[in-house]
Amino acid sequence: MKLIVGLGNPGRGYANNRHNAGFMCLNHFARTQGIRFNKKQSGARIGSGEIAGTIVVLAKPQTYMNLSGESVSRLVRRFDINLDDLVVIHDDLDLPLGKIRIRQGGGSGGHKGVESIISSLGSQDFVRLRLGIGRPMAIEGSGEISDADIIAYVLSDFTPDQKQIIATVIPRVSEAIYCLLTQGLTAARNQYN
């Protein structure tokens, strides 16, 4: 069994925020696989199905980003998931817009949702699929970007130009998830990183 978690914030007001890239990707993947998020369990909206002979649970934590670990750790226990079988999809400020990176383990990179998951699980040994959202530009004359600027950036919507790029990348993320499930981590990394 695999548990695939998309990170984001619940509610319409957040739906198109950069920080909701994980939800956007998981929604697209669910549609391609005919899976509906028709249950609420362990603080998440979940859907399940069989993909290439593997039972897969898709989950969108409803705890808000900074508390994602509460829901993910409960789901891991509930479904008895080995951490090698946990995939977390999330936005990444440090990757250029639209770039995909897949890896297992490592730190949070400052991402509060991933930080919460690592803290709740007591481990970093899960697979992350990161979608680049880029960083906000510094205001001219000021070389620094404050934490408030970062928060405002991730909690704002993609610009129209950025939306076009993201719209072409989200289907590639779905392909990468499918590759990860059917061919494994190394093949997915080689093909999509």
Side-chain angles (χ1 to χ4, degrees):
M1 182 183 282
K2 302 276 188 190
L3 173 61
I4 304 175
V5 177
L7 297 187
N9 286 308
R12 284 190 190 156
Y14 296 104
N16 297 307
N17 288 180
R18 292 177 178 94
H19 225 15
N20 271 38
F23 277 10
M24 293 173 198
C25 291
L26 198 62
N27 286 339
H28 183 275
F29 181 71
R31 279 194 306 274
T32 67
Q33 300 302 315
I35 295 173
R36 291 184 30 228
F37 293 96
N38 55 3
K39 289 183 190 160
K40 279 193 169 181
Q41 228 169 38
S42 303
R45 292 192 57 216
I46 68 166
S48 59
E50 190 174 315
I51 300 170
T54 300
I55 301 294
V56 178
V57 175
L58 307 181
K60 297 187 293 182
Q62 302 295 292
T63 52
Y64 290 95
M65 183 66 81
N66 295 0
L67 300 174
S68 298
E70 292 177 9
S71 174
V72 173
S73 63
R74 289 186 355 226
L75 289 164
V76 164
R77 284 193 306 272
R78 179 178 197 94
F79 292 106
D80 195 24
I81 300 291
N82 183 311
L83 292 189
D84 288 342
D85 296 322
L86 170 62
V87 179
V88 176
I89 306 165
H90 64 90
D91 60 293
D92 194 316
L93 282 164
D94 293 322
L95 285 176
L97 181 71
K99 291 287 179 196
I100 300 170
R101 286 289 177 273
I102 303 166
R103 75 170 189 193
Q104 184 161 11
S108 69
H111 192 287
K112 301 294 187 207
V114 176
E115 212 169 272
S116 172
I117 293 169
I118 291 170
S119 174
S120 294
L121 293 175
S123 175
Q124 302 176 344
D125 296 333
F126 52 91
V127 176
R128 298 95 187 276
L129 195 158
R130 302 177 294 150
L131 175 58
I133 61 169
R135 281 194 166 269
M137 302 294 281
I139 298 165
E140 266 191 60
S142 149
E144 290 188 30
I145 298 167
S146 71
D147 287 348
D149 293 333
I150 296 284
I151 292 167
Y153 179 75
V154 300
L155 293 179
S156 62
D157 293 355
F158 289 106
T159 66
D161 287 347
Q162 291 172 337
K163 273 185 192 161
Q164 287 184 329
I165 293 167
I166 291 300
T168 64
V169 175
I170 286 176
R172 276 190 56 77
V173 172
S174 285
E175 291 168 17
I177 298 166
Y178 189 80
C179 181
L180 196 56
L181 290 172
T182 58
Q183 297 176 49
L185 180 63
T186 303
R189 288 174 63 170
N190 291 342
Q191 210 167 327
Y192 293 94
N193 277 4

mmCIF file of all heavy atoms in Angstrom, residues 68-99:
data_model
loop_
_atom_site.group_PDB
_atom_site.id
_atom_site.type_symbol
_atom_site.label_atom_id
_atom_site.label_comp_id
_atom_site.label_asym_id
_atom_site.label_seq_id
_atom_site.Cartn_x
_atom_site.Cartn_y
_atom_site.Cartn_z
ATOM 1 N N SER A 68 0.451 19.906 9.121
ATOM 2 C CA SER A 68 0.255 18.743 8.240
ATOM 3 C C SER A 68 0.693 17.437 8.879
ATOM 4 O O SER A 68 0.092 16.387 8.662
ATOM 5 C CB SER A 68 1.028 18.929 6.923
ATOM 6 O OG SER A 68 0.556 20.042 6.219
ATOM 7 N N GLY A 69 1.740 17.492 9.684
ATOM 8 C CA GLY A 69 2.268 16.278 10.306
ATOM 9 C C GLY A 69 1.276 15.567 11.198
ATOM 10 O O GLY A 69 1.315 14.333 11.313
ATOM 11 N N GLU A 70 0.382 16.328 11.842
ATOM 12 C CA GLU A 70 -0.625 15.695 12.710
ATOM 13 C C GLU A 70 -1.458 14.706 11.908
ATOM 14 O O GLU A 70 -1.687 13.568 12.328
ATOM 15 C CB GLU A 70 -1.537 16.758 13.334
ATOM 16 C CG GLU A 70 -0.850 17.643 14.338
ATOM 17 C CD GLU A 70 -1.779 18.729 14.884
ATOM 18 O OE1 GLU A 70 -2.999 18.690 14.611
ATOM 19 O OE2 GLU A 70 -1.261 19.608 15.597
ATOM 20 N N SER A 71 -1.924 15.146 10.750
ATOM 21 C CA SER A 71 -2.754 14.296 9.909
ATOM 22 C C SER A 71 -1.936 13.168 9.281
ATOM 23 O O SER A 71 -2.352 12.006 9.296
ATOM 24 C CB SER A 71 -3.408 15.140 8.804
ATOM 25 O OG SER A 71 -4.112 14.324 7.907
ATOM 26 N N VAL A 72 -0.767 13.500 8.742
ATOM 27 C CA VAL A 72 0.053 12.495 8.056
ATOM 28 C C VAL A 72 0.466 11.379 9.009
ATOM 29 O O VAL A 72 0.374 10.193 8.667
ATOM 30 C CB VAL A 72 1.289 13.146 7.388
ATOM 31 C CG1 VAL A 72 2.230 12.081 6.818
ATOM 32 C CG2 VAL A 72 0.854 14.106 6.281
ATOM 33 N N SER A 73 0.881 11.719 10.229
ATOM 34 C CA SER A 73 1.300 10.673 11.171
ATOM 35 C C SER A 73 0.121 9.773 11.546
ATOM 36 O O SER A 73 0.288 8.557 11.686
ATOM 37 C CB SER A 73 1.955 11.278 12.411
ATOM 38 O OG SER A 73 1.056 12.088 13.125
ATOM 39 N N ARG A 74 -1.069 10.351 11.671
ATOM 40 C CA ARG A 74 -2.250 9.533 11.970
ATOM 41 C C ARG A 74 -2.575 8.605 10.802
ATOM 42 O O ARG A 74 -2.939 7.436 11.009
ATOM 43 C CB ARG A 74 -3.450 10.426 12.317
ATOM 44 C CG ARG A 74 -3.247 11.075 13.668
ATOM 45 C CD ARG A 74 -4.370 11.888 14.259
ATOM 46 N NE ARG A 74 -5.573 12.142 13.544
ATOM 47 C CZ ARG A 74 -6.153 13.345 13.465
ATOM 48 N NH1 ARG A 74 -5.602 14.398 14.039
ATOM 49 N NH2 ARG A 74 -7.282 13.497 12.835
ATOM 50 N N LEU A 75 -2.450 9.104 9.577
ATOM 51 C CA LEU A 75 -2.709 8.274 8.388
ATOM 52 C C LEU A 75 -1.688 7.140 8.279
ATOM 53 O O LEU A 75 -2.046 6.003 7.956
ATOM 54 C CB LEU A 75 -2.682 9.128 7.120
ATOM 55 C CG LEU A 75 -3.859 10.078 6.931
ATOM 56 C CD1 LEU A 75 -3.538 11.135 5.881
ATOM 57 C CD2 LEU A 75 -5.129 9.318 6.553
ATOM 58 N N VAL A 76 -0.421 7.454 8.537
ATOM 59 C CA VAL A 76 0.640 6.436 8.484
ATOM 60 C C VAL A 76 0.335 5.308 9.475
ATOM 61 O O VAL A 76 0.447 4.123 9.137
ATOM 62 C CB VAL A 76 2.025 7.081 8.752
ATOM 63 C CG1 VAL A 76 3.080 6.026 9.097
ATOM 64 C CG2 VAL A 76 2.472 7.915 7.551
ATOM 65 N N ARG A 77 -0.085 5.684 10.681
ATOM 66 C CA ARG A 77 -0.426 4.658 11.682
ATOM 67 C C ARG A 77 -1.697 3.902 11.291
ATOM 68 O O ARG A 77 -1.745 2.677 11.383
ATOM 69 C CB ARG A 77 -0.600 5.303 13.061
ATOM 70 C CG ARG A 77 0.709 5.669 13.729
ATOM 71 C CD ARG A 77 0.531 6.013 15.214
ATOM 72 N NE ARG A 77 -0.467 7.036 15.459
ATOM 73 C CZ ARG A 77 -0.217 8.354 15.454
ATOM 74 N NH1 ARG A 77 0.990 8.791 15.211
ATOM 75 N NH2 ARG A 77 -1.172 9.215 15.707
ATOM 76 N N ARG A 78 -2.704 4.636 10.865
ATOM 77 C CA ARG A 78 -3.994 4.013 10.535
ATOM 78 C C ARG A 78 -3.863 2.961 9.440
ATOM 79 O O ARG A 78 -4.450 1.887 9.490
ATOM 80 C CB ARG A 78 -4.999 5.077 10.116
ATOM 81 C CG ARG A 78 -6.346 4.495 9.742
ATOM 82 C CD ARG A 78 -7.333 5.586 9.381
ATOM 83 N NE ARG A 78 -8.667 5.057 9.416
ATOM 84 C CZ ARG A 78 -9.480 5.102 10.443
ATOM 85 N NH1 ARG A 78 -9.106 5.658 11.561
ATOM 86 N NH2 ARG A 78 -10.678 4.580 10.382
ATOM 87 N N PHE A 79 -3.074 3.294 8.394
ATOM 88 C CA PHE A 79 -2.935 2.376 7.252
ATOM 89 C C PHE A 79 -1.670 1.523 7.336
ATOM 90 O O PHE A 79 -1.372 0.785 6.407
ATOM 91 C CB PHE A 79 -2.971 3.166 5.938
ATOM 92 C CG PHE A 79 -4.307 3.782 5.657
ATOM 93 C CD1 PHE A 79 -4.497 5.152 5.810
ATOM 94 C CD2 PHE A 79 -5.393 3.010 5.265
ATOM 95 C CE1 PHE A 79 -5.739 5.735 5.561
ATOM 96 C CE2 PHE A 79 -6.633 3.577 5.015
ATOM 97 C CZ PHE A 79 -6.807 4.943 5.164
ATOM 98 N N ASP A 80 -0.929 1.647 8.454
ATOM 99 C CA ASP A 80 0.284 0.866 8.677
ATOM 100 C C ASP A 80 1.244 1.007 7.489
ATOM 101 O O ASP A 80 1.668 0.031 6.881
ATOM 102 C CB ASP A 80 -0.070 -0.603 8.927
ATOM 103 C CG ASP A 80 1.103 -1.374 9.525
ATOM 104 O OD1 ASP A 80 1.977 -0.736 10.144
ATOM 105 O OD2 ASP A 80 1.151 -2.608 9.342
ATOM 106 N N ILE A 81 1.586 2.249 7.181
ATOM 107 C CA ILE A 81 2.420 2.577 6.025
ATOM 108 C C ILE A 81 3.896 2.588 6.419
ATOM 109 O O ILE A 81 4.286 3.240 7.387
ATOM 110 C CB ILE A 81 2.036 3.971 5.448
ATOM 111 C CG1 ILE A 81 0.571 4.009 5.001
ATOM 112 C CG2 ILE A 81 2.975 4.391 4.324
ATOM 113 C CD1 ILE A 81 0.234 3.181 3.801
ATOM 114 N N ASN A 82 4.709 1.871 5.666
ATOM 115 C CA ASN A 82 6.156 1.945 5.800
ATOM 116 C C ASN A 82 6.576 3.305 5.229
ATOM 117 O O ASN A 82 6.039 3.741 4.207
ATOM 118 C CB ASN A 82 6.768 0.795 4.983
ATOM 119 C CG ASN A 82 8.259 0.738 5.102
ATOM 120 O OD1 ASN A 82 8.965 1.747 4.955
ATOM 121 N ND2 ASN A 82 8.771 -0.448 5.357
ATOM 122 N N LEU A 83 7.529 3.991 5.837
ATOM 123 C CA LEU A 83 7.893 5.334 5.371
ATOM 124 C C LEU A 83 8.440 5.337 3.944
ATOM 125 O O LEU A 83 8.366 6.351 3.257
ATOM 126 C CB LEU A 83 8.861 6.009 6.340
ATOM 127 C CG LEU A 83 8.266 6.375 7.696
ATOM 128 C CD1 LEU A 83 9.226 7.242 8.497
ATOM 129 C CD2 LEU A 83 6.911 7.065 7.564
ATOM 130 N N ASP A 84 8.966 4.206 3.470
ATOM 131 C CA ASP A 84 9.378 4.099 2.064
ATOM 132 C C ASP A 84 8.178 4.204 1.130
ATOM 133 O O ASP A 84 8.339 4.473 -0.067
ATOM 134 C CB ASP A 84 10.081 2.765 1.793
ATOM 135 C CG ASP A 84 11.466 2.701 2.403
ATOM 136 O OD1 ASP A 84 12.021 3.774 2.727
ATOM 137 O OD2 ASP A 84 11.999 1.583 2.550
ATOM 138 N N ASP A 85 6.989 3.943 1.663
ATOM 139 C CA ASP A 85 5.760 3.957 0.859
ATOM 140 C C ASP A 85 4.940 5.230 1.046
ATOM 141 O O ASP A 85 3.780 5.298 0.650
ATOM 142 C CB ASP A 85 4.905 2.731 1.201
ATOM 143 C CG ASP A 85 5.606 1.437 0.825
ATOM 144 O OD1 ASP A 85 6.282 1.417 -0.226
ATOM 145 O OD2 ASP A 85 5.496 0.444 1.572
ATOM 146 N N LEU A 86 5.561 6.245 1.658
ATOM 147 C CA LEU A 86 4.919 7.552 1.840
ATOM 148 C C LEU A 86 5.533 8.538 0.854
ATOM 149 O O LEU A 86 6.756 8.693 0.804
ATOM 150 C CB LEU A 86 5.129 8.050 3.274
ATOM 151 C CG LEU A 86 4.737 9.510 3.573
ATOM 152 C CD1 LEU A 86 3.246 9.747 3.357
ATOM 153 C CD2 LEU A 86 5.152 9.893 5.000
ATOM 154 N N VAL A 87 4.683 9.189 0.067
ATOM 155 C CA VAL A 87 5.120 10.212 -0.884
ATOM 156 C C VAL A 87 4.417 11.509 -0.516
ATOM 157 O O VAL A 87 3.189 11.538 -0.377
ATOM 158 C CB VAL A 87 4.763 9.825 -2.343
ATOM 159 C CG1 VAL A 87 5.202 10.922 -3.309
ATOM 160 C CG2 VAL A 87 5.375 8.484 -2.718
ATOM 161 N N VAL A 88 5.188 12.581 -0.345
ATOM 162 C CA VAL A 88 4.632 13.889 -0.011
ATOM 163 C C VAL A 88 4.914 14.848 -1.168
ATOM 164 O O VAL A 88 6.067 15.009 -1.576
ATOM 165 C CB VAL A 88 5.234 14.439 1.301
ATOM 166 C CG1 VAL A 88 4.715 15.839 1.591
ATOM 167 C CG2 VAL A 88 4.915 13.502 2.465
ATOM 168 N N ILE A 89 3.859 15.466 -1.683
ATOM 169 C CA ILE A 89 3.978 16.409 -2.802
ATOM 170 C C ILE A 89 3.792 17.816 -2.253
ATOM 171 O O ILE A 89 2.809 18.096 -1.570
ATOM 172 C CB ILE A 89 2.888 16.136 -3.864
ATOM 173 C CG1 ILE A 89 2.918 14.680 -4.307
ATOM 174 C CG2 ILE A 89 3.055 17.083 -5.055
ATOM 175 C CD1 ILE A 89 1.665 14.253 -5.052
ATOM 176 N N HIS A 90 4.761 18.701 -2.542
ATOM 177 C CA HIS A 90 4.664 20.059 -2.011
ATOM 178 C C HIS A 90 5.385 21.075 -2.887
ATOM 179 O O HIS A 90 6.212 20.722 -3.725
ATOM 180 C CB HIS A 90 5.209 20.103 -0.574
ATOM 181 C CG HIS A 90 6.668 19.785 -0.443
ATOM 182 N ND1 HIS A 90 7.643 20.759 -0.514
ATOM 183 C CD2 HIS A 90 7.312 18.610 -0.255
ATOM 184 C CE1 HIS A 90 8.832 20.189 -0.360
ATOM 185 N NE2 HIS A 90 8.656 18.888 -0.206
ATOM 186 N N ASP A 91 5.053 22.342 -2.655
ATOM 187 C CA ASP A 91 5.700 23.459 -3.335
ATOM 188 C C ASP A 91 7.105 23.644 -2.783
ATOM 189 O O ASP A 91 7.397 23.252 -1.660
ATOM 190 C CB ASP A 91 4.877 24.736 -3.128
ATOM 191 C CG ASP A 91 4.745 25.100 -1.656
ATOM 192 O OD1 ASP A 91 4.088 24.352 -0.888
ATOM 193 O OD2 ASP A 91 5.292 26.135 -1.256
ATOM 194 N N ASP A 92 7.982 24.258 -3.589
ATOM 195 C CA ASP A 92 9.350 24.522 -3.143
ATOM 196 C C ASP A 92 9.828 25.875 -3.669
ATOM 197 O O ASP A 92 9.922 26.079 -4.877
ATOM 198 C CB ASP A 92 10.285 23.417 -3.625
ATOM 199 C CG ASP A 92 11.630 23.452 -2.930
ATOM 200 O OD1 ASP A 92 12.201 24.555 -2.783
ATOM 201 O OD2 ASP A 92 12.131 22.381 -2.540
ATOM 202 N N LEU A 93 10.134 26.782 -2.745
ATOM 203 C CA LEU A 93 10.630 28.127 -3.081
ATOM 204 C C LEU A 93 11.997 28.090 -3.748
ATOM 205 O O LEU A 93 12.333 28.974 -4.526
ATOM 206 C CB LEU A 93 10.783 28.961 -1.799
ATOM 207 C CG LEU A 93 9.556 29.555 -1.155
ATOM 208 C CD1 LEU A 93 9.885 29.993 0.266
ATOM 209 C CD2 LEU A 93 9.051 30.735 -1.961
ATOM 210 N N ASP A 94 12.793 27.097 -3.406
ATOM 211 C CA ASP A 94 14.182 27.064 -3.866
ATOM 212 C C ASP A 94 14.354 26.429 -5.239
ATOM 213 O O ASP A 94 15.472 26.349 -5.745
ATOM 214 C CB ASP A 94 15.064 26.353 -2.835
ATOM 215 C CG ASP A 94 15.151 27.157 -1.540
ATOM 216 O OD1 ASP A 94 15.205 28.398 -1.618
ATOM 217 O OD2 ASP A 94 15.141 26.544 -0.462
ATOM 218 N N LEU A 95 13.269 25.970 -5.827
ATOM 219 C CA LEU A 95 13.327 25.454 -7.197
ATOM 220 C C LEU A 95 12.706 26.485 -8.130
ATOM 221 O O LEU A 95 11.697 27.103 -7.788
ATOM 222 C CB LEU A 95 12.535 24.148 -7.321
ATOM 223 C CG LEU A 95 13.152 22.881 -6.751
ATOM 224 C CD1 LEU A 95 12.162 21.724 -6.895
ATOM 225 C CD2 LEU A 95 14.460 22.541 -7.446
ATOM 226 N N PRO A 96 13.275 26.656 -9.324
ATOM 227 C CA PRO A 96 12.666 27.565 -10.295
ATOM 228 C C PRO A 96 11.238 27.134 -10.621
ATOM 229 O O PRO A 96 10.913 25.940 -10.549
ATOM 230 C CB PRO A 96 13.564 27.436 -11.527
ATOM 231 C CG PRO A 96 14.853 26.879 -11.022
ATOM 232 C CD PRO A 96 14.501 26.043 -9.826
ATOM 233 N N LEU A 97 10.414 28.091 -10.978
ATOM 234 C CA LEU A 97 9.012 27.824 -11.297
ATOM 235 C C LEU A 97 8.874 26.667 -12.289
ATOM 236 O O LEU A 97 9.491 26.682 -13.356
ATOM 237 C CB LEU A 97 8.368 29.080 -11.886
ATOM 238 C CG LEU A 97 6.886 28.952 -12.244
ATOM 239 C CD1 LEU A 97 6.039 28.888 -10.976
ATOM 240 C CD2 LEU A 97 6.442 30.101 -13.124
ATOM 241 N N GLY A 98 8.091 25.664 -11.888
ATOM 242 C CA GLY A 98 7.783 24.559 -12.783
ATOM 243 C C GLY A 98 8.763 23.403 -12.767
ATOM 244 O O GLY A 98 8.506 22.367 -13.384
ATOM 245 N N LYS A 99 9.879 23.523 -12.069
ATOM 246 C CA LYS A 99 10.837 22.405 -11.990
ATOM 247 C C LYS A 99 10.321 21.352 -11.017
ATOM 248 O O LYS A 99 9.712 21.677 -10.001
ATOM 249 C CB LYS A 99 12.216 22.880 -11.509
ATOM 250 C CG LYS A 99 12.945 23.739 -12.502
ATOM 251 C CD LYS A 99 13.451 22.920 -13.649
ATOM 252 C CE LYS A 99 14.165 23.805 -14.645
ATOM 253 N NZ LYS A 99 14.350 23.158 -15.917
#
